Amino acid sequence: MTTILIDADACPVVKETIRIAGTFGFRCILICDTTHEMHRDGAETIIVSKGADAVDFVLVNRVQKDDIVVTQDYGLAAMVLAKKGHPLDQNGRLYTEDNIDQLLYARHTAQKVRMAGGRLRGPKKRSKESDLKFEESLKKLCAELVEK
């Protein structure tokens, strides 16, 4: 059975993901650290200790082939791809073998700019359109996995 795992620390689409998982009969698991602890009806919650990448390591150890992972983290997305999972960001972009290297390189470049004292723009304010695009992408991915 397909599971949807959510990197739930600061994830803006938890409610939508749980609802869609229920529609498709998929198991839904929230993974968060002790500073972002949350419990939601329709999902299991795994709480991990605070620490750099603690949630990521628990999540990547649980993901199975064809599971869906909702995350904003490019590094985690790359590890999910290596395990034949389907990482999706909060705006509905599916991370793939075709785009992950470019995203990781852009992250690396931005990190170098920040370390040199430079500043970069933050993400745009979240919109209703972003939520709708996410829902559309997640539903499409779920439907494809059901047909497999």
Side-chain angles (χ1 to χ4, degrees):
M1 175 203 290
T2 299
T3 299
I4 301 178
L5 299 112
I6 304 173
D7 180 359
D9 293 346
C11 180
V13 290
V14 170
K15 180 178 69 175
E16 294 86 349
T17 304
I18 293 169
R19 181 175 40 77
I20 292 167
T23 300
F24 284 90
F26 292 172
R27 182 176 177 207
C28 189
I29 301 174
L30 309 175
I31 303 176
C32 54
D33 69 26
T34 54
T35 58
H36 298 99
E37 187 173 331
M38 66 174 69
H39 299 276
R40 301 287 188 274
D41 288 339
E44 299 170 44
T45 299
I46 297 172
I47 300 161
V48 301
S49 301
K50 260 190 333 185
D53 302 321
V55 168
D56 297 353
F57 291 127
V58 169
L59 195 152
V60 82
N61 283 320
R62 288 184 156 271
V63 72
Q64 301 290 316
K65 182 179 187 277
D66 283 335
D67 283 348
I68 299 169
V69 175
V70 179
T71 185
Q72 301 175 50
D73 185 316
Y74 300 160
L76 176 57
M79 290 186 282
V80 169
L81 285 170
K83 293 190 77 176
K84 307 294 185 212
H86 304 280
L88 181 72
D89 79 4
Q90 75 280 3
N91 296 318
R93 174 179 51 196
L94 191 61
Y95 300 102
T96 66
E97 297 294 340
D98 295 330
N99 68 12
I100 196 65
D101 288 339
Q102 178 184 358
L103 293 168
L104 288 167
Y105 180 74
R107 180 181 77 168
H108 173 73
T109 302
Q111 197 171 32
K112 283 173 54 175
V113 168
R114 285 191 298 274
M115 288 178 73
R119 298 185 71 180
L120 301 169
R121 284 187 178 185
K124 290 187 269 183
K125 186 175 180 185
R126 185 140 190 95
S127 68
K128 184 67 179 163
E129 291 77 27
S130 297
D131 290 343
L132 294 173
K133 187 170 184 321
F134 170 79
E135 290 181 36
E136 182 180 300
S137 293
L138 181 57
K139 286 177 187 175
K140 181 180 178 203
L141 179 57
C142 290
E144 289 171 3
L145 291 172
V146 165
E147 290 178 9
K148 261 187 155 182

